[in-house]
Amino acid sequence: KDKSSASKDSTPGGAAERQEDGAETPKQKLLDVIGGMKVEVSYRKKLQQLKSSENKNQAMNKLEGPDSEGSVPQGITEDIQRGKPLDPELVKAASAVASSLPHNKKQTESELLAQLRRHEETTDKQKKGGTINIRNVLSEMTIKKQSPAQRGVRISGRISLQLDEDGQRLRREGSSAQSVDSRRYFLLSLKVGKRLNIFTKASTEPEHALKTVSSPTIWDLEFAKEVAAVTAQPPRNGFEEMIQWTKEGILWEFPIDNEVGMEDDAEFHEHIFLEKHLEGFPKEGPIRHFMELVICGLSKNPYLSVKQKVEHIEWFQNYFEEKKELLQEI
Amino acid sequence: PCPRQVRSYYVDWRMLRDVKRRKTAYEYADERLRINAIRKNSILPKELQEVADKEIAALPRDSCPARIRNRCVLTSRPRGVKRRWRLSRIVFRHFADHAQMSGVQRAMW
């Protein structure tokens, strides 16, 4: 175990100088954990020599979540997303893991880095490209597709052009909508590719049109509210009712995302390594012992946010400061 | 225009008092947890623990979670309440027989 830890210290030794001070101690603790893990991995190798790729996956999971708490998977993706050219910390951790595994080190390292990059790509896609994928699906399903920007252009066009009474305006809107839709249907059937509105040219034109027409005056807002009230017909079937409820927030969005309200942006090491908050306490004595137990318990708690944990520790600090005179009598 | 019963009052005063107790218990939950952590300790000196005893006794009585009673949500019945549905047995039976409880069926085996 000493030899393995020494070898690990040599590989990130040169790199440790480049790292920030704050990241050093948790990083070294991680590496110690990996050093401890090496014994387990070699035992597994004896049992299952054929499943080398599975070992790598297990090692990756262990590396990224030694305590395997609920908020860790989010932490992983955030870690990876932070460094778009892969995080140097992660690269070094990958090299440490590769050196701890018994197989070909360079191969494992390159494969781990490739996996990390794949994770990055998928998480980036999911975060940014999610809506675009849905549009793809919808455009495949229905030919009559109206993007909201283009719809806004049409409505604003009608506002500026037609200033008749409400009834006449609505009738014209209906007819013009139908005609425009049919025209659009015809155009879409001719066009070969699907408009994704990813590139700036396609998207900036309707935006410019919107900017010139709509300015946030009270009259415009009121008119928008009137239009919404008129066009919001009562739901014709259960699906539309469910859509309405989802928009209002009565119904959850499916597939159910368990972490809707929770946005825990903190890394896992901020949850676990809470010793830096213990600086206000005396270094020896029963209070220190008590606070170390408190910190141990808090680090194992997956339900509190980092803020709440810090608030707990600060409350204890205040409490013990108030009772200082009492403590000094003892 | 609402198809269901509209209740704008709590069923009775006992239910209101229970609601108040739940609110204060929620507000003082953290403090109680921390003071109890000091009290139930074998490391800290006993004088500190006695002081903590007095402090927790000085908190409002309604902040104690033991005072909360899981009453029926519709009838405020204190006994015979099933936790999963927060309903008393009578109300539960009423709704289940009228097929208004999703997934609840009469047992037969």
Side-chain angles (χ1 to χ4, degrees), chain A residues 76-139:
Chain A
I76 299 170
T77 54
E78 282 160 20
D79 250 333
I80 291 160
Q81 270 173 14
R82 268 196 195 165
K84 270 229 154 171
L86 282 176
D87 215 12
E89 289 187 29
L90 282 173
V91 171
K92 275 143 212 157
S95 65
V97 169
S99 58
S100 74
L101 286 169
H103 298 281
N104 198 352
K105 289 179 191 179
K106 284 190 182 176
Q107 247 188 22
T108 54
E109 206 186 309
S110 59
E111 280 173 12
L112 282 173
L113 291 172
Q115 264 195 353
L116 282 173
R117 266 178 228 125
R118 261 177 269 149
H119 279 303
E120 253 192 59
E121 284 171 22
T122 50
T123 46
D124 279 344
K125 264 189 213 170
Q126 278 173 10
K127 274 224 165 180
K128 293 171 194 173
T131 49
I132 297 172
N133 291 334
I134 291 170
R135 275 184 209 160
N136 273 336
V137 171
L138 284 175
S139 62

Side-chain angles (χ1 to χ4, degrees), chain B residues 60-79:
Chain B
R61 224 171 241 201
D62 273 353
S63 65
C64 169
R67 287 187 128 224
I68 296 173
R69 181 80 195 182
N70 292 325
R71 290 179 161 268
C72 169
V73 164
L74 294 179
T75 53
S76 179
R77 195 159 194 273
R79 294 165 203 215

Side-chain angles (χ1 to χ4, degrees), chain B residues 10 15 20 27 29 35 40 45 61 63 71 76 78-80 83-84 86-87 94 98 103-104 108:
Chain B
Y10 288 113
M15 194 189 237
K20 276 192 220 167
E27 285 163 26
I35 299 179
K40 313 281 177 179
R61 224 171 241 201
S63 65
R71 290 179 161 268
S76 179
R79 294 165 203 215
R83 239 204 180 179
R84 182 174 170 181
R86 303 180 186 175
L87 289 179
H94 177 268
H98 286 71
V104 174
M108 193 176 2

Side-chain angles (χ1 to χ4, degrees), chain A residues 294-309:
Chain A
V294 165
I295 272 172
C296 179
L298 283 176
S299 70
K300 293 187 185 177
N301 189 334
Y303 301 110
L304 296 180
S305 66
V306 178
K307 268 190 190 177
Q308 288 169 320
K309 294 184 186 178

Side-chain angles (χ1 to χ4, degrees), chain A residues 47 57-59 107 119 145 189 228 253 256 305 324 327:
Chain A
L47 292 176
N57 284 332
Q58 284 171 11
Q107 247 188 22
H119 279 303
K145 174 195 81 166
S189 65
E253 289 180 11
I256 293 182
S305 66
K324 255 187 186 175
L327 293 171

Side-chain angles (χ1 to χ4, degrees), chain A residues 245 285-287 289-290 293-294 308 311-313 315-316 319-320 322-323 326-327 330, chain B residues 4 30-31 33-35 37-41 43-48 51-53 55:
Chain A
W245 284 347
I287 296 183
H289 189 22
F290 173 72
L293 285 177
V294 165
Q308 288 169 320
E311 275 172 19
H312 272 292
I313 298 173
W315 184 91
F316 275 116
Y319 185 80
F320 287 126
E322 283 171 22
K323 311 289 168 185
L326 209 136
L327 293 171
I330 304 163
Chain B
R4 296 171 199 88
D30 286 338
E31 285 182 34
L33 176 71
R34 292 157 188 163
I35 299 179
I38 294 176
R39 286 172 66 217
K40 313 281 177 179
N41 229 329
I43 311 162
L44 296 175
K46 286 187 188 175
E47 291 83 357
L48 198 62
V51 169
D53 279 340
E55 281 199 4

